[in-house]
Amino acid sequence: MIDINGVEFATKDQNRHTLRGAICQHYSRYRLTCDEYDALRARADNACEICRTPMAETRRRRLLIDHFMGHPASYIRGLVCDPCNAVMSCHDGNKNWGPLTTPWRERAAQYAANSWQTPEDGLRLQNFRGPLDRI
């Protein structure tokens, strides 16, 4: 077992989404192991969870890990494209609803209600804010 700041990895290959010896961004930013990230991608079926745009058809050909930052906890909701990430900022009250985002209001609420993690699950994110070591 390899321990990286309190999380045990079976082997160095657990960080399989990045170059050997580096820490995956999904772990360093959101504390998602590779197995958890793969489960999140499988749930999304490689498409935005709000508008269902396939990952390959998004502007940057990738999906973003959507997370809610709040109190008492921050937690992961799912994977979204860039435009839907802006919709979720409106849903969270960080931005005002506008003509491009308002049509997505109901879908954003449904998506938020079906979050991958709950606020209770997200409490573990609060425990890991220090720098990470390399494997």
Side-chain angles (χ1 to χ4, degrees):
M1 287 294 200
I2 300 167
D3 185 283
I4 301 176
N5 293 352
V7 174
E8 290 185 348
F9 293 98
T11 67
K12 290 183 181 182
D13 293 332
Q14 179 61 23
N15 271 2
R16 63 185 171 269
H17 299 120
T18 190
L19 299 174
R20 196 159 199 67
I23 302 244
C24 293
Q25 182 181 13
H26 53 76
Y27 182 77
S28 64
R29 285 198 74 186
Y30 306 106
R31 300 308 187 255
L32 291 174
T33 65
C34 290
D35 291 339
E36 290 171 320
Y37 181 71
D38 288 343
L40 186 61
R41 284 190 63 183
R43 172 188 131 130
D45 196 23
N46 287 321
C48 174
E49 292 188 60
I50 297 174
C51 69
R52 301 307 305 157
T53 300
M55 181 170 59
E57 295 176 20
T58 63
R59 186 174 60 221
R60 294 191 280 172
R61 290 181 170 59
R62 68 181 182 127
L63 297 172
L64 306 170
I65 297 174
D66 173 49
H67 62 288
F68 175 78
M69 295 293 288
H71 295 289
S74 299
Y75 58 95
I76 306 299
R77 290 188 286 217
L79 294 175
V80 297
C81 64
D82 285 317
C84 288
N85 195 40
V87 166
M88 291 313 294
S89 289
C90 298
H91 175 79
D92 295 341
N94 298 325
K95 293 171 72 176
N96 293 325
W97 290 97
L100 296 176
T101 56
T102 300
W104 295 99
R105 188 176 236 158
E106 186 176 322
R107 292 282 299 269
Q110 291 170 349
Y111 161 75
N114 191 33
S115 292
W116 190 67
Q117 290 180 333
T118 65
E120 294 78 26
D121 295 333
L123 283 172
R124 74 186 176 110
L125 293 175
Q126 307 296 12
N127 297 325
F128 298 103
R129 291 295 178 206
L132 293 171
D133 299 324
R134 293 173 66 80
I135 293 179

